[in-house]
């Protein structure tokens, strides 16, 4: 939920609704969403497993990729996460008339974990061109390490077009900290992974219209649009199942191996600086991304509920 | 001289030479170089005028653009600059055999100026595909302001291909300082200027292979390659004379109006942080860019001389 802001699909959205319905269809209740998740998730799902993993509206290659990514996070970090405390009317929600639907779960890391929280969500909304599906995985670390956070966001505007962001979000000013740049970006070869995807002919660089969000991203961020043309549904499926699948999983592997378990003794000032920077990122991205756009998708009541749940988890 | 590093043309360069000639052909002596500059420079050139403005090897559209840019800087800032103290064997220099030539001038700002120094240079070198011409304008500000520095670098590998960087280089971590981002990047509309150039069909985004250099650039940096194909010489000339000319001059105007004369009372810690960051940028860019590449172009002796002159002006 970092990169929703101002992307082209939002132009097609209706103006904010004045109220919203809270009656959910049965397939969007938390229990049924859990059931969907079981299709591809690990057999021995931990008790705290993600409650958003159903993805009832996603095209199959998008759904399979997200289920694989969330299952991997689950398998590696699940045992160290606390159960969700997100209220059920945020775990799944919908706008008036049911044209817009969403699910969001946030789980905090336990005391033994470097994870601050993991946010997983999907948003689905009908637009004149078809439907818009946005899936997000956002893993934030505590100040017990200075290792980068993880961001993955896939914004599918049609079966043939996708905007995506995948990044290890730096927690320090990289200009002032070239050692940090070396440790997490140069030595992990994460830029080569980015290049693999950008070498695909249908893939073009994409810039968020928010300069702040551009600033938050690392110099190795994958920020691209994939357009396969009107007839390109099978080409998009192929890219998602092959190149994007491989690149997304490799970025997650790098984050899980080099960042998620990292522990570093930070000095008091360094820790305070880190927390100040993390808090600003949380504040600004909620302001730019969610507070600005969720009301248009879901009406003000639902949007407020969702933003409040996020702010509570973000402790801002 | 920020973005020389690792660009594709350097693949064609010979390995480092073991020595270099110091005898310069007459057209490369400082006086004759001054004469070339007079062709387009202002009639009443200030006494401290740039000594690199001749550009004897540049294709005309590239030369005209650089002469216009340097003349504008000259007209606005020249009266507040001190005379050059760069030694004559750095004001112009060449590699063994004369296949590589260059000129570099650095002038410091006077006491009444926010300018720390202005670096202007050109490098010319024969490569198997023709010739490589690199022109640079780098304007660094003092800590009497926190306003961005100016970078303009044009790397022309052939009459039909160009890589270029133009940016207002941020002096603060933009994630921690959204107000700074608003002041110099959002409110100046500099991103719209960038978009104008990127909308030209032959223009594609370009990434430096150095992650550090990518980190130094702002989120509105123009970092592009222009390829006009084998027969595209007139298309390149047109782009350089119309779109690039307009965009480069507008970026310089923004910098001259909003940054170059800016004065801001900074707190002691803020000033120290700024200086630490500036020093790191100077150190790292010399290390990544010049110390790594100049010896290959000009041999170690000339390269050392040039790097020493720069380090002296940079006070690093």
């Amino acid at each position: 939920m970092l990169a929703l802001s101002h992307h082209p699909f939002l132009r097609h959205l209706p103006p904010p609704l004045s109220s919203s319905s809270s009656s959910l269809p049965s397939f969007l209740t938390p229990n049924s969403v859990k059931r969907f998740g079981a299709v591809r998730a690990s057999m021995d799902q931990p008790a705290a497993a993600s409650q958003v993993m159903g993805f009832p509206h996603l095209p199959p290659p998008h759904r399979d990729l997200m289920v694989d990514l969330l299952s991997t996070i689950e398998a590696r970090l699940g045992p160290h996460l606390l159960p969700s405390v997100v209220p059920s009317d945020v775990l799944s929600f919908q706008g008036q008339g049911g044209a817009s639907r969403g699910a969001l779960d946030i789980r905090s890391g336990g005391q033994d974990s470097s994870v601050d929280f993991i946010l997983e969500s999907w948003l689905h909304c009908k637009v004149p061109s078809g439907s818009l599906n946005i899936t997000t995985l956002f893993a934030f670390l505590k100040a017990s390490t200075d290792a980068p956070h993880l961001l993955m966001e896939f914004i599918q505007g049609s079966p043939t077009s996708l905007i995506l962001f995948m990044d290890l979000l730096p927690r320090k000013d990289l200009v002032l900290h070239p050692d940090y740049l070396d440790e997490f970006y140069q030595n992990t070869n994460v830029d080569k992974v980015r290049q693999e995807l950008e070498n695909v002919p249908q893939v073009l660089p994409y810039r968020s219209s928010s300069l702040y969000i551009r600033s938050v991203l690392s110099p190795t961020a994958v920020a691209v649009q994939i357009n396969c043309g009107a007839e390109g549904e099978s080409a998009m499926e192929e890219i998602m199942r092959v190149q994007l699948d491989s690149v997304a999983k490799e970025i997650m592997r790098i984050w899980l191996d080099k960042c998620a378990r990292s522990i570093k003794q930070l000095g008091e000032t360094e820790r305070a600086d880190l927390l100040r920077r993390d808090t600003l990122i949380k504040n600004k991205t909620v302001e730019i991304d969610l507070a600005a756009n969720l009301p248009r998708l879901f009406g003000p009541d639902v949007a407020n509920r969702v933003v409040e749940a996020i702010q509570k988890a973000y402790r801002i």
Side-chain angles (χ1 to χ4, degrees), chain A:
Chain A
M1 291 223 163
L2 181 74
L4 175 64
S5 65
H6 312 295
H7 63 75
F9 304 123
L10 285 182
R11 279 187 229 127
H12 305 300
L13 291 179
L17 302 170
S18 59
S19 68
S20 61
S21 160
S22 61
S23 66
L24 295 173
S26 66
F27 66 85
L28 267 176
T29 59
N31 277 342
S32 64
V33 168
K34 249 188 205 161
R35 209 170 54 235
F36 271 102
V39 177
R40 279 179 68 98
S42 148
M43 291 291 282
D44 49 356
Q45 197 102 285
S50 165
Q51 304 207 43
V52 305
M53 228 201 270
F55 307 121
H57 305 285
L58 282 184
H62 189 159
R63 186 184 61 225
D64 291 349
L65 175 60
M66 280 307 289
V67 169
D68 282 355
L69 291 172
L70 301 196
S71 304
T72 306
I73 281 268
E74 209 52 65
R76 288 283 288 272
L77 303 180
H80 307 280
L81 298 180
L82 303 174
S84 169
V85 291
V86 170
S88 63
D89 59 359
V90 172
L91 278 172
S92 39
F93 50 92
Q94 66 175 353
Q96 201 175 32
S100 299
R101 289 170 181 164
L104 178 138
D105 198 9
I106 304 175
R107 280 168 299 153
S108 300
Q111 272 200 323
D112 63 337
S113 168
S114 294
V115 172
D116 182 6
F117 63 82
I118 294 192
L119 180 156
E120 300 169 351
S121 75
W122 59 258
L123 300 176
H124 166 80
C125 110
K126 295 263 179 292
V127 290
S129 60
S131 50
L132 168 65
N133 287 289
I134 303 176
T135 53
T136 305
L137 167 62
F138 193 21
F140 231 74
L141 296 178
K142 292 177 185 166
S144 54
T145 175
D146 61 3
H149 306 306
L150 176 72
L151 163 74
M152 297 203 156
E153 187 151 82
F154 305 95
I155 303 154
Q156 186 155 20
S158 79
T160 61
S161 68
L162 182 73
I163 289 173
L164 64 102
F165 295 85
M166 299 190 286
D167 197 20
L168 311 181
L169 298 179
R171 298 174 73 188
K172 293 186 167 189
D173 176 10
L174 298 176
V175 174
L176 261 182
H177 299 280
D179 293 350
Y180 186 88
L181 183 66
D182 285 345
E183 180 178 2
F184 293 110
Y185 300 92
Q186 195 77 50
N187 301 345
T188 56
N189 274 326
V190 64
D191 200 47
K192 283 203 179 144
V193 184
R194 179 193 63 75
Q195 281 169 34
E196 264 178 55
L197 189 61
E198 292 208 5
N199 285 340
V200 175
Q202 292 92 336
V203 175
L204 285 174
Y206 180 78
R207 282 186 212 244
S208 165
S209 65
S210 157
L211 299 186
Y212 191 80
I213 286 178
R214 287 191 213 164
S215 306
V216 164
L217 298 177
S218 83
T220 63
V222 176
V224 299
Q225 52 187 314
I226 310 180
N227 287 309
C228 294
E231 306 291 309
E233 203 160 332
S234 64
M236 176 63 89
E237 287 196 15
E238 171 86 4
I239 292 170
M240 291 191 82
R241 291 204 187 278
V242 182
Q243 292 97 339
L244 178 54
D245 184 90
S246 141
V247 167
K249 287 175 182 171
E250 181 58 13
I251 291 173
M252 174 166 282
R253 187 198 63 73
I254 292 171
W255 183 79
L256 283 168
D257 288 353
K258 303 287 176 190
C259 306
R261 290 175 173 190
S262 154
I263 290 178
K264 210 177 268 182
Q265 205 58 49
L266 304 178
E268 208 172 311
T269 318
E270 200 181 354
R271 189 183 147 87
D273 286 350
L274 203 75
L275 285 172
R276 195 156 62 96
R277 204 175 186 279
D278 280 349
T279 304
L280 252 165
I281 295 177
K282 291 172 182 171
N283 266 320
K284 290 288 292 180
T285 51
V286 167
E287 170 197 322
I288 296 168
D289 194 36
L290 300 176
N293 292 305
L294 272 190
R296 295 208 294 160
L297 288 161
F298 294 95
D301 298 347
V302 176
N304 285 346
R305 219 156 64 207
V306 173
V307 168
E308 261 172 39
I310 292 175
Q311 283 171 329
K312 200 170 158 197
Y314 279 14
R315 290 185 287 278
I316 54 176

